[in-house]
């Protein structure tokens, strides 16, 4: 328990700040939940409207110190990307798997394949008197 007057005052300030931050955090979570529900429903316009309301509140929470600025930016960015993806129905069924070659064997095979393609192209151009 605080004994000095300054410590008592600090305890009061901390209690007030905690209540304010708790309310802000709760409000941000509510707005995030609304955006998540709109995205889950698949309605891009509703998700956009919910996002337009939520974005300032998220950034305000970052300004007030309720959440880190990078966390707020990351949440906004990822929500925006998911909302944009709702409109791209054409690409939804496609899955892109990004892979890196794990060894030099892949590169040697790729180079051989490119040489074969170039040779075939050159032969084709010679047969039909085309410029290569």
């Amino acid at each position: 328990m605080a004994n000095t007057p300054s410590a008592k005052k600090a305890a009061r300030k901390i209690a007030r700040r905690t209540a304010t931050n708790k309310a802000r955090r709760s409000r941000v979570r509510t707005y995030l939940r609304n955006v998540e529900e709109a995205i889950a429903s698949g309605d891009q316009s509703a998700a956009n409207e919910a996002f337009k309301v939520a974005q300032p509140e998220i950034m305000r929470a970052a300004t007030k110190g309720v959440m880190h600025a990078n966390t707020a930016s990351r949440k906004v960015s990822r929500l925006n990307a998911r909302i944009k993806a709702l409109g791209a129905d054409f690409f939804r069924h496609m899955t892109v798997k990004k892979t890196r070659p794990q060894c030099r064997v892949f590169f040697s095979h790729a180079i051989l394949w490119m040489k074969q393609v170039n040779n075939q192209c050159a032969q084709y151009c010679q047969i039909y008197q085309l410029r290569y």
Side-chain angles (χ1 to χ4, degrees), residues 30-79:
T30 301
Y31 283 122
L32 286 174
R33 186 171 54 250
N34 291 343
V35 175
E36 292 286 344
E37 288 172 358
I39 290 172
S41 72
D43 185 11
Q44 189 178 16
S45 61
N48 254 336
E49 292 302 315
F51 180 68
K52 283 180 185 176
V53 175
Q55 183 180 4
E57 193 64 39
I58 294 168
M59 297 317 276
R60 191 174 300 120
T63 305
K64 300 293 184 181
V66 174
M67 69 171 56
H68 197 276
N70 289 356
T71 304
S73 294
R74 185 178 65 245
K75 284 185 182 296
V76 167
S77 175
R78 289 183 181 172
L79 284 173

Side-chain angles (χ1 to χ4, degrees), residues 101-122:
Q102 297 298 321
C103 61
R104 292 183 183 175
V105 175
F106 174 83
F107 286 112
S108 62
H109 287 299
I111 291 169
L112 287 174
W113 178 78
M114 288 171 57
K115 286 181 181 177
Q116 289 174 353
V117 169
N118 282 339
N119 289 340
Q120 289 173 354
C121 185

